Amino acid sequence: MSRICELTGKGRQTGHNVSHANNKTKRVFLPNLQNVTLLSEKLDRSFKFRVSTHGLRSVEHNGGLDNWLLKTSDEKLSAQARKIKRELKKAAVAA
């Protein structure tokens, strides 16, 4: 399973461990990913995502999953999130 946030696209970063003697060795910084269940108000369903804590705060700040998906570009979203976004657009047209 890849270590990438399904909503924001945030992934791993590389850097150095730096010792007191200023020796540098490679290391990896991983995003803080959490398994969460988010509710869609318009579709009246819940969806499971693997989301970074930063992404979860962004979703809450934007007023929930529906608003977040509609505002975010498709390049950042996972395949599952893009599918849900299409369903939201269909529901908006039908309503």
Side-chain angles (χ1 to χ4, degrees):
M1 195 182 312
S2 63
R3 294 191 171 114
I4 296 175
C5 176
E6 293 184 9
L7 296 181
T8 61
K10 183 183 280 255
R12 62 184 222 152
Q13 293 182 323
T14 58
H16 290 102
N17 280 331
V18 180
S19 71
H20 185 68
N22 205 27
N23 298 328
K24 295 176 181 72
T25 56
K26 292 278 189 183
R27 65 157 295 175
V28 176
F29 295 93
L30 298 175
N32 184 7
L33 296 178
Q34 305 293 323
N35 293 318
V36 296
T37 302
L38 299 173
L39 298 174
S40 171
E41 296 170 0
K42 294 179 183 172
L43 298 177
D44 199 32
R45 289 176 49 200
S46 62
F47 299 97
K48 288 188 177 184
F49 288 105
R50 194 159 186 233
V51 183
S52 65
T53 52
H54 170 77
L56 193 57
R57 290 182 66 202
S58 299
V59 168
E60 293 298 322
H61 179 75
N62 282 293
L65 179 65
D66 299 340
N67 292 338
W68 169 258
L69 288 175
L70 294 174
K71 288 181 180 181
T72 307
S73 64
D74 286 348
E75 292 84 38
K76 289 184 178 180
L77 300 174
S78 67
Q80 178 192 5
R82 283 194 299 269
K83 182 179 174 187
I84 296 167
K85 185 176 180 177
R86 282 193 301 272
E87 290 179 25
L88 282 171
K89 287 182 179 179
K90 284 181 186 176
V93 170

